[in-house]
Amino acid sequence: MEHPPPENDSQIRAGGRIPGTQGISAFALNGPDPSRIPVLIAVPHAGRTYPGTLVRNMRNPGASALKLEDRFVDRLAEEVAARTGALLLVAHAPRAMIDLNRAPDDVDWEMFATEDRPASDAHGPNRRSRSGLGLIPRRLPGIGELWKRRHFRDELAARIDGIHAPYHACLAETLEDLRNRWGAAVLLDLHSMPPIGARLGQRSPEFVLGDRFGASCDGSLVAESFAYFSEIDRMAAHNRPYAGGYVLERHAAPQHGMHALQLEIDRSAYLDSAFERPGRDFADMAQMLAGLVRRLANAVIQLGGTGNATGWPEAAE
């Protein structure tokens, strides 16, 4: 399994620790300090650092990893951040280990040893847990159960303490710092999705923009995003089938100047036909996303009332 790239001079902060590794950080925050634009790109599902103990406990690690990961979205985001000056938060820990877009109590306790289950669970598992995609994924369509054995509570605690809690603390602190500097800030939570079937008479959407049905950001940011997609002749959908998850629910506070959007990208639009490696359209996708980030940055600057602050015109080139 692939490990994260070595640290470099652009890195602001590495944090957390992946259990079962020799101190490998769970995530890294990269970008200029002070920030050039009020945009934070986060990539929670592209981590490829799989500890050996985790792989040995997986029934079909290769196929499961391919379906669970937002494969190489981190590389897309790196290109976009380099072109725009956006801050970039990338998880190294894999989604198979813990899903950073789920709440820490979103646990399917039936995955755990009997002695480690809560004495009572009055509410039972929620919809995501029942589907097999809770805090620790349990099953996938076409693959079935992911694990050879049951999990233990101390494993869950180590993953929350080492990965989930510090990742979200870093995200919250970074978004607040951007808001304090610019008057407003936007989080772009970046994901990938399987191709969506086209409706009769329409093209299949390459993007799905989620704002939790208007709850996670100012409507002007959504309007600017769809205007941009229209201008470049790309099909985009709104909130269906992906409206945004725990990341947006936890970190969006538009009434306090902290906006958040989830963007899902069709994997066929930037990967090869097997969805395993970057495809021939990878560079074009990075360029399109950079344009979107610039558009969002301009809109957020207007929301924050900072106008064309010093340094912004250069960052937008």
Side-chain angles (χ1 to χ4, degrees):
M1 294 291 181
E2 185 171 339
H3 287 251
E7 297 177 1
N8 54 55
D9 292 340
S10 70
Q11 183 167 310
I12 297 173
R13 176 178 172 186
R17 288 293 179 267
I18 300 177
T21 69
Q22 296 298 313
I24 295 177
S25 61
F27 59 85
L29 174 68
N30 293 271
D33 186 13
S35 59
R36 294 177 187 164
I37 60 174
V39 179
L40 170 62
I41 304 171
V43 184
H45 285 167
R48 297 183 294 279
T49 301
Y50 289 79
T53 52
L54 186 78
V55 174
R56 287 192 292 273
N57 287 331
M58 297 177 75
R59 292 181 182 273
N60 193 340
S64 298
L66 191 63
K67 282 202 168 188
L68 281 171
E69 289 175 16
D70 289 337
R71 182 62 62 98
F72 294 126
V73 167
D74 55 328
R75 294 192 183 177
L76 274 178
E78 287 165 5
E79 291 284 338
V80 174
R83 297 180 189 200
T84 63
L87 296 182
L88 175 61
L89 177 63
V90 173
H92 298 154
R95 186 183 182 187
M97 180 168 256
I98 192 165
D99 191 333
L100 293 166
N101 202 23
R102 300 290 183 266
D105 61 353
D106 190 0
V107 180
D108 181 354
W109 288 106
E110 292 185 359
M111 295 175 60
F112 286 75
T114 303
E115 62 271 19
D116 277 356
R117 299 176 191 176
S120 63
D121 186 0
H123 301 291
N126 63 24
R127 178 181 59 83
R128 288 196 178 108
S129 292
R130 287 196 302 270
S131 74
L133 292 175
L135 186 64
I136 297 177
R138 177 176 179 176
R139 69 177 73 87
L140 284 169
I143 292 179
E145 294 286 332
L146 302 182
W147 306 103
K148 296 177 181 177
R149 64 161 176 82
R150 295 194 180 277
H151 285 66
F152 299 97
R153 191 186 287 258
D154 59 350
E155 294 173 325
L156 175 63
R159 296 176 192 185
I160 291 175
D161 293 344
I163 303 169
H164 196 280
Y167 177 88
H168 284 282
C170 180
L171 197 164
E173 179 183 337
T174 304
L175 194 60
E176 185 175 8
D177 287 348
L178 282 175
R179 188 275 315 272
N180 291 343
R181 171 170 164 77
W182 294 91
V186 64
L187 165 67
L188 185 63
D189 203 46
L190 208 55
H191 298 259
S192 71
M193 63 183 182
I196 298 175
R199 293 183 178 180
L200 185 64
Q202 294 182 342
R203 290 181 295 166
S204 177
E206 290 179 83
F207 304 94
V208 177
L209 194 70
D211 65 351
R212 294 187 64 81
F213 299 97
S216 69
C217 75
D218 188 89
S220 64
L221 301 182
V222 176
E224 286 291 339
S225 299
F226 278 98
Y228 174 76
F229 288 132
S230 177
E231 289 166 13
I232 63 174
D233 193 29
R234 299 290 175 164
M235 189 70 181
H238 188 203
N239 284 322
R240 299 187 187 279
Y242 308 105
Y246 174 72
V247 169
L248 268 59
E249 181 181 356
R250 173 166 174 172
H251 296 284
Q255 69 276 22
H256 299 299
M258 291 186 287
H259 307 269
L261 290 164
Q262 178 176 292
L263 183 64
E264 298 273 355
I265 308 166
D266 184 337
R267 290 169 189 160
S268 68
Y270 73 96
L271 293 175
D272 62 14
S273 59
F275 300 158
E276 293 182 351
R277 309 297 301 178
R280 62 182 182 181
D281 295 325
F282 184 90
D284 288 344
M285 178 57 69
Q287 182 177 347
M288 280 189 284
L289 294 175
L292 175 64
V293 166
R294 294 188 188 102
R295 190 76 164 249
L296 286 171
N298 275 315
V300 174
I301 286 171
Q302 298 306 313
L303 285 175
T306 51
N308 287 321
T310 301
W312 164 241
E314 291 81 3
E317 292 300 322

